[in-house]
Amino acid sequence: MADWKHLSLASTLYAPASVTTPAPVIGKLEELPFTSLSWENFERLQLRMMRDVEGLREAQLYGDRGQAQLGLDIVALAPDGAGVALQSKNYKRFGKSQLTAAVKKFLTTERPFTVQRLILGVACAVKSTGAVEELAVQRKELRPVVLDLWDAQELSALLRKRPEIVIEYFGMPTAEAFCHKFKIDVTQVPTADAAAVREAIARTPEVSTGAQEFFDKAAETTDPEQALALIEKGQAALHNAGFKPHAASHEKERVRLLALNGRAEEASRHTLDEFWSALEQGLATTAQITQSRLAELTTQAEIAPTVDACRKVAECAINLYMNPLGYLPDVKELRLGEPEDQVRLALLAGETAIANDRSDWLSSAVPTLAELSRLPGLDQMRRTRLRLIIAESTQDWAELLTDARKITHGYSVSGLIAARHARSLARYEKFKEADLAWDEASGFASLASQWGEASTWIFSRRAFRSRWNPFTSNELLPLQTAVREMGISKPIVPTAHDAYVDALSGLNEGSLRSAAISAQRALRDAVATSDLVEEERARRVLASIMIESDEPTLAAHHLAQIGATKRIDSLGKSLPLQFLDITENLDAPNYWTVGATYRLIASQADLVPDTLVDFIAEHIIAELAAAEEGTRPDLRSFATSRYNNAIKALAGIAGRIAHAPATAALAHFEQQPEVQENHYRFHDDDEALAVAKIALRHPDLAPRAIAHLVPLLGRAQGARSETAHDAIAKNEALARDGLTTLAAAGNHWAQETLALADPTDIDPAVAADALARLTTPLTHLTGVYSVGTNAIGDSLLIRHLPSDSINAAVAELLIRADDPHLASSDRADYLNAAGNLTRHLNEAHHASHFETAMRLATSPTPSKYDELNSQHTHKLGGFRMNGMPQGSRGQALALAASLAGNDDQRKEVRRVVYALLGEQADYWPTIALQRLGDAVNDDLAFLSMQGWAIRSLVALKWVEHGEPEHLGIRLARDSDVRVRRTLARELAGQADGAHADVRAVLADDPAYSVRTALSDTEAP
């Protein structure tokens, strides 16, 4: 099989005929002169027929081409996957022996895939008795392989209906003599009469065209029949001059006159056609005005039932089109009006179902859609769109692809089929196949001069590459640009060009209903035309509209479909009391939708209902197993990764999962290959959190969990969460050996963790090094800045040293906390490190350090590092640095509160804290208030209106004192789960009867952590 080679689209075999070979035409031609073709052109003709007549693809050629080789062996695949082989024989005579030799060669040649059909392409006519008889024998011998003979007679029969191919190889005269009657379509580009247009603008089209005279006469006559004729003449004048909208503006009067003349049925049919035309173009207001004319017709006397039927059709269509949530009635309710109306209603509903991912509706509608698609006389494009909806639902594309590749209905239809097939392949992670299908679609569109669709489908192909082959999309940019510059073309499928813009405008103006309707139309158009880029834009704006319209679950669904992980994460976090259940998307056929769904679950893990925990855990464990086997596509270095987001979701619910999935998750993490030095995994932080929660949830798994967690925390600084430290602290004995090993190897985190548990169990050399680092003055180089201190860890290592050593360290830390060369983050570290040491100072040192801390809280020296960074914080800046702390006044206040030794000092700290409220994050000011003790008890009502951290402190104080009484219920219904959780934990340590009304509210809290904190009698 090594001799079989893929046939590139750049192959000369795909080139046009090198020269036309006309037949000596006299009268009607019955057979084309194939033997007059050169061997190269005959082979090109054979391959052209395989592609465009038979619809075959993925061609492979046997051996190397050369002029000495006058035969051609080629294999390709039919749309249904069947293999087809062709032997091309440019012979002037072909008899029994040649036939036998050809079949023998087929039987003795190995091919890259199974062949179900063999075609012998022969330039001459095969008429000898021996050859005909031998053909019957060989057909019987080859079964089940089908043997076809394309001799001159059969080739002629196949090409009689393909004038475009005959013209290319034999010329126009031959085609005219041989083919059935045909017409060459030439694009007409009408020229505009600038003077006439200028006159129409100045005098109105009615006056400039003379139509106004007819309208005036119609208004004067009392004869309805004569008035109707005059109105139609005026409309014709406008229409012929190119002013169709102006002609349509007089349609209401024409419809009225038709009814007066006893032609109401004609009027209603014509009006309904206008209605459909407006709706197809997205002119919803025009469609509604037209619908009102139908309603007026039904109010007139002696109206036929068909008039009311037209009204019902328009009403049903408007209800479908104007529904902002993508409402879909039962498919039986769409059987209204004439067959053409039923088809249009079915198209509108079916494409709405695809856009809103209503697979249930599509499945139930397939029989009806199939029946409608077989109606005689149906417009071919509408028939194809119906068949596309069916294919989307059933995933049976073979028949449609056959039609497309045989170009049965023209290049435009073939392009649309290929593009929609590409979208379907993309959704099901058929990456290369989708890429090739969009390529094929743009090729068909180019042949039809549909430059807009060709450019759109190249752009879709580019966009989709980001899902499977990142950083290669720009390779197609020159091609897209070149095609776009070829010109404009009428769309294959009618679309509303301004729907997306209208949706954005409505969203910005707060007109949510109209915005949603426009966004639904934009999404339908994008799906119907396989515009992947526009589909993503439409889903994003529709999601934004749904959020503003209090439909967050629908918003989440649309965001998941396009893998918008950042947006869906933000949405989940913005709803602290409502769980958005889109877990059905965990079974979606592509990784980005699944990944986005896991990200939403992770952001709302505390709100996951108890009934869904096992279901989600089952899916997560399946993800981990599939990752080990490598059976599911994924891009782990991207935010849409299904694997990384599954672990993120696991980290959220690991404290709630059963023993079996906990064991499976732990086993998966244990089996991972070791991480090389100075490397990390994308999911380190989430893995550590998940393992820590498993250790806390399942004590029997704690030995394994802690053994895995300790080295992970040792190398991954970002993984050292409060929960992880809690797991280590509660399993101190299990963690000690691992921590000791790491500490001996010089791991600072392990040394600090051991010191935190037992300050006396510290290597003196390690403590001495830490003290030296904390007391040695910093040196700086001009223009050079560094970030990072490890001062907090070092402070834990020296707490057992003499007070003088502690004092020296605190004094140096306070100097560093005011160093202009340091960033606010480093200053904060030094202040917090000093705070760790205050209880180990002599009382005599407190006063001087208190004054310094208060100065740093009120008037610190400006940081040059912060000033430098502030140049890169503007939201419109090309280079931005986000999340950099600006200021360390809160940490200075917390330190001052620890050092305050009398009421005056405590009042001074409280005064400055209150002055800072509302200006910055309140976490550290809250710590300062907490360290002041009862000095804030009288201010709880005031403080309960501040940030979440201070409200949490209020919750602690309120449980202790119970005043003011009304505050408890307000705190129990706080919008921030951290406040409610703090309140629940504090209540858990109180007598069961205390604050029963507040307990009742917390017991029904949507957050799992709040409910469990209330029942945890060991809660801190």
Side-chain angles (χ1 to χ4, degrees):
M1 290 187 288
D3 290 331
W4 289 98
K5 299 176 182 177
H6 282 281
L7 193 58
S8 167
L9 289 176
S11 170
T12 56
L13 286 170
Y14 281 124
S18 58
V19 63
T20 55
T21 308
V25 178
I26 301 177
K28 189 66 178 177
L29 184 65
E30 296 299 327
E31 190 173 289
L32 292 170
F34 299 101
T35 55
S36 299
L37 294 171
S38 66
W39 65 270
E40 298 98 333
N41 281 347
F42 184 69
E43 290 180 350
R44 287 169 179 159
L45 175 61
Q46 299 283 293
L47 185 59
R48 174 75 178 276
M49 293 181 68
M50 290 181 75
R51 279 184 61 86
D52 292 352
V53 177
E54 292 295 310
L56 307 180
R57 292 295 186 272
E58 299 186 30
Q60 296 189 40
L61 184 67
Y62 187 77
D64 296 320
R65 305 298 301 135
Q67 200 160 6
Q69 183 182 354
L70 300 182
L72 177 75
D73 286 334
I74 195 165
V75 291
L77 292 177
D80 62 359
V84 180
L86 170 77
Q87 291 185 19
S88 177
K89 309 292 185 182
N90 191 3
Y91 295 171
K92 297 186 183 298
R93 180 181 176 280
F94 192 84
K96 176 180 178 180
S97 61
Q98 287 84 5
L99 177 61
T100 304
V103 174
K104 181 179 179 181
K105 181 181 179 184
F106 171 80
L107 293 172
T108 56
T109 301
E110 286 190 68
R111 285 163 292 278
F113 46 74
T114 303
V115 168
Q116 288 88 17
R117 181 184 175 201
L118 169 64
I119 301 171
L120 301 179
V122 183
C124 63
V126 179
K127 299 179 180 179
S128 68
T129 303
V132 173
E133 291 175 349
E134 183 63 18
L135 179 63
V137 173
Q138 294 296 339
R139 279 177 169 163
K140 185 175 181 180
E141 292 292 327
L142 273 179
R143 291 176 184 170
V145 177
V146 177
L147 174 61
D148 285 339
L149 178 65
W150 282 1
D151 67 345
Q153 298 178 70
E154 182 65 20
L155 287 169
S156 295
L158 291 171
L159 289 173
R160 196 171 295 278
K161 295 181 180 180
R162 303 306 294 264
E164 74 277 14
I165 300 178
V166 176
I167 291 169
E168 181 178 341
Y169 284 86
F170 301 101
M172 179 63 78
T174 300
E176 290 174 338
F178 173 75
C179 296
H180 297 312
K181 289 185 178 180
F182 62 91
K183 178 182 178 181
I184 303 297
D185 290 326
V186 179
T187 302
Q188 298 294 326
V189 183
T191 59
D193 187 338
V197 173
R198 169 67 179 84
E199 182 184 7
I201 293 173
R203 300 172 55 206
T204 76
E206 283 83 356
V207 173
S208 66
T209 61
Q212 190 62 50
E213 183 178 350
F214 294 113
F215 297 144
D216 291 342
K217 289 180 179 180
E220 294 171 359
T221 183
T222 57
D223 183 351
E225 188 172 350
Q226 184 181 3
L228 176 62
L230 290 167
I231 290 292
E232 289 177 340
K233 286 182 180 180
Q235 286 182 304
L238 288 168
H239 192 279
N240 293 336
F243 297 103
K244 295 180 182 179
H246 289 78
S249 67
H250 299 273
E251 193 63 25
K252 181 177 181 180
E253 179 63 12
R254 177 176 175 270
V255 168
R256 186 184 70 83
L257 292 170
L258 281 170
L260 288 176
N261 283 281
R263 297 164 62 185
E265 292 186 17
E266 178 185 345
S268 64
R269 182 67 255 175
H270 182 77
T271 304
L272 184 57
D273 289 341
E274 278 192 69
F275 168 84
W276 280 120
S277 177
L279 216 56
E280 283 184 345
Q281 298 175 62
L283 305 175
T285 302
T286 302
Q288 287 176 301
I289 293 172
T290 309
Q291 180 197 13
S292 68
R293 295 211 297 267
L294 283 169
E296 289 175 10
L297 277 172
T298 60
T299 62
Q300 298 182 25
E302 299 180 2
I303 296 300
T306 54
V307 179
D308 192 53
C310 289
R311 179 191 62 80
K312 290 179 179 178
V313 168
E315 182 179 340
C316 181
I318 282 291
N319 289 340
L320 277 168
Y321 192 97
M322 302 296 287
N323 190 279
L325 300 178
Y327 157 78
L328 290 170
D330 188 281
V331 69
K332 295 178 182 178
E333 298 178 25
L334 305 178
R335 304 303 292 265
L336 299 171
E338 297 181 6
E340 181 74 12
D341 298 320
Q342 296 179 27
V343 168
R344 284 172 147 168
L345 286 172
L347 275 177
L348 180 55
E351 288 172 354
T352 298
I354 295 175
N356 289 278
D357 310 290
R358 288 289 306 277
S359 57
D360 55 336
W361 189 93
L362 289 169
S363 297
S364 66
V366 163
T368 300
L369 298 177
E371 178 187 343
L372 292 173
S373 71
R374 293 190 291 267
L375 289 173
L378 182 61
D379 173 79
Q380 188 55 55
M381 182 56 72
R382 294 195 183 103
R383 188 191 308 277
T384 300
R385 287 166 66 188
L386 281 175
R387 295 173 66 198
L388 285 168
I389 296 171
I390 296 169
E392 290 268 11
S393 178
T394 63
Q395 287 303 301
D396 182 2
W397 290 86
E399 187 178 347
L400 268 172
L401 291 177
T402 299
D403 286 352
R405 291 170 179 177
K406 289 184 177 182
I407 320 176
T408 305
H409 305 299
Y411 290 117
S412 294
V413 174
S414 294
L416 180 62
I417 293 171
R420 288 283 290 273
H421 186 226
R423 180 184 178 274
S424 178
L425 290 168
R427 290 186 69 245
Y428 285 89
E429 297 182 328
K430 304 294 184 182
F431 300 114
K432 293 182 179 179
E433 296 92 330
D435 188 74
L436 291 173
W438 264 311
D439 182 40
E440 184 176 40
S442 57
F444 282 134
S446 298
L447 291 172
S449 297
Q450 294 288 156
W451 306 117
E453 280 80 2
S455 175
T456 292
W457 292 333
I458 296 171
F459 197 10
S460 294
R461 185 183 176 198
R462 285 183 58 209
F464 183 60
R465 286 195 174 186
S466 66
R467 300 291 191 199
W468 66 283
N469 197 9
F471 315 120
T472 65
S473 64
N474 284 341
E475 296 173 3
L476 298 170
L477 181 57
L479 178 61
Q480 180 193 344
T481 303
V483 171
R484 186 174 61 240
E485 292 176 351
M486 295 298 292
I488 59 175
S489 55
K490 184 179 179 180
I492 295 174
V493 176
T495 57
H497 298 292
D498 296 329
Y500 175 72
V501 175
D502 290 343
L504 280 178
S505 177
L507 174 62
N508 290 334
E509 293 173 4
S511 304
L512 297 179
R513 178 179 172 80
S514 61
I517 292 169
S518 296
Q520 287 279 1
R521 175 61 195 260
L523 181 56
R524 281 198 304 274
D525 286 348
V527 168
T529 59
S530 188
D531 187 341
L532 198 68
V533 177
E534 192 66 22
E535 180 178 346
E536 178 169 338
R537 293 204 312 165
R539 287 192 187 274
R540 284 186 182 276
V541 71
L542 185 54
S544 297
I545 295 166
M546 291 297 106
I547 292 170
E548 293 297 320
S549 305
D550 299 324
E551 293 285 351
T553 303
L554 288 176
H557 173 80
H558 286 291
L559 293 173
Q561 295 303 306
I562 57 175
T565 50
K566 183 176 180 180
R567 187 73 179 91
I568 207 169
D569 181 70
S570 175
L571 172 60
K573 291 176 179 176
S574 71
L575 298 168
L577 301 175
Q578 180 183 359
F579 178 68
L580 305 181
D581 187 2
I582 60 166
T583 50
E584 62 181 12
N585 284 318
L586 293 178
D587 294 316
N590 55 75
Y591 75 83
W592 54 90
T593 298
V594 176
T597 304
Y598 278 129
R599 179 64 72 90
L600 178 63
I601 292 171
S603 70
Q604 293 199 303
D606 204 19
L607 299 174
V608 172
D610 295 337
T611 54
L612 281 178
V613 171
D614 290 343
F615 173 81
I616 295 171
E618 179 182 346
H619 278 76
I620 293 173
I621 297 306
E623 297 289 350
L624 303 185
E628 294 172 5
E629 299 166 1
T631 56
R632 291 178 177 173
D634 199 13
L635 289 181
R636 293 200 186 176
S637 58
F638 286 72
T640 50
S641 168
R642 67 187 299 159
Y643 176 76
N644 290 339
N645 285 311
I647 296 179
K648 190 176 291 292
L650 175 63
I653 66 170
R656 304 169 63 182
I657 62 176
H659 193 275
T663 303
L666 194 55
H668 172 78
F669 293 136
E670 291 170 335
Q671 293 167 13
Q672 296 176 115
E674 290 189 11
V675 177
Q676 299 178 16
E677 188 176 358
N678 297 324
H679 286 67
Y680 68 96
R681 296 189 181 97
F682 288 112
H683 60 271
D684 273 343
D685 298 1
D686 296 315
E687 178 183 338
L689 186 56
V691 172
K693 288 183 177 180
I694 289 172
L696 294 169
R697 166 79 171 178
H698 300 285
D700 61 315
L701 294 177
R704 290 172 57 188
I706 297 301
H708 182 80
L709 183 61
V710 169
L712 173 56
L713 297 180
R715 66 173 175 79
Q717 182 175 354
R720 298 167 191 169
S721 64
E722 181 181 353
T723 302
H725 283 124
D726 192 27
I728 295 293
K730 289 189 176 181
N731 295 277
E732 181 182 346
L734 295 174
R736 178 164 291 278
D737 289 345
L739 289 170
T740 301
T741 301
L742 286 176
N747 185 280
H748 288 290
W749 170 79
Q751 293 171 351
E752 295 154 10
T753 303
L754 289 171
L756 190 61
D758 185 1
T760 63
D761 187 17
I762 300 175
D763 186 331
V766 170
D769 290 342
L771 180 62
R773 288 191 293 269
L774 291 176
T775 55
T776 302
L778 299 179
T779 58
H780 303 291
L781 297 176
T782 303
V784 177
Y785 298 93
S786 61
V787 180
T789 69
N790 201 46
I792 295 175
D794 283 342
S795 69
L796 300 178
L797 299 175
I798 69 167
R799 291 180 301 166
H800 63 291
L801 296 180
S803 179
D804 289 342
S805 297
I806 299 293
N807 186 59
V810 171
E812 173 60 26
L813 288 169
L814 292 178
I815 292 173
R816 296 180 185 182
D818 202 34
D819 192 322
H821 292 87
L822 298 183
S824 291
S825 57
D826 285 1
R827 289 180 168 189
D829 275 1
Y830 291 132
L831 289 166
N832 291 336
N836 288 341
L837 298 173
T838 54
R839 71 180 61 182
H840 306 285
L841 285 171
N842 287 334
E843 290 292 334
H845 297 136
H846 277 210
S848 60
H849 293 323
F850 174 81
E851 296 299 330
T852 303
M854 288 303 296
R855 183 181 61 79
L856 295 177
T858 54
S859 56
T861 301
S863 166
K864 294 181 179 179
Y865 185 95
D866 288 355
E867 292 175 358
L868 178 65
N869 281 345
S870 65
Q871 303 174 37
H872 307 290
T873 57
H874 196 285
K875 294 181 179 180
L876 300 181
F879 177 76
R880 293 174 57 193
M881 299 179 67
N882 295 330
M884 299 300 294
Q886 295 292 316
S888 53
R889 299 173 67 186
Q891 288 86 345
L893 277 173
L895 174 61
S898 298
L899 293 168
N902 55 58
D903 290 342
D904 289 339
Q905 289 179 337
R906 282 188 281 273
K907 288 180 181 178
E908 179 65 12
V909 172
R910 184 178 62 179
R911 182 188 64 79
V912 177
V913 168
Y914 286 4
L916 286 179
L917 293 182
E919 294 184 9
Q920 58 181 28
D922 64 354
Y923 178 80
W924 286 106
T926 301
I927 297 299
L929 292 179
Q930 187 173 19
R931 291 175 181 175
L932 294 179
D934 293 336
V936 298
N937 289 346
D938 294 337
D939 301 325
L940 294 185
F942 161 70
L943 295 175
S944 67
M945 305 300 293
Q946 306 305 316
W948 74 267
I950 289 185
R951 299 202 307 275
S952 297
L953 175 61
V954 171
L956 293 173
K957 295 292 185 181
W958 183 86
V959 171
E960 182 180 352
H961 300 285
E963 294 294 338
E965 185 176 351
H966 69 275
L967 197 53
I969 293 295
R970 189 203 301 174
L971 293 168
R973 292 172 177 161
D974 195 276
S975 60
D976 198 300
V977 68
R978 292 168 291 190
V979 178
R980 306 196 309 273
R981 187 163 53 232
T982 300
L983 180 64
R985 284 176 177 168
E986 197 68 13
L987 282 174
Q990 302 293 312
D992 289 342
H995 308 299
D997 54 341
V998 176
R999 288 176 181 270
V1001 173
L1002 294 172
D1004 290 332
D1005 197 277
Y1008 170 81
S1009 63
V1010 175
R1011 300 193 303 270
T1012 54
L1014 186 64
S1015 60
D1016 185 3
T1017 57
E1018 297 181 1

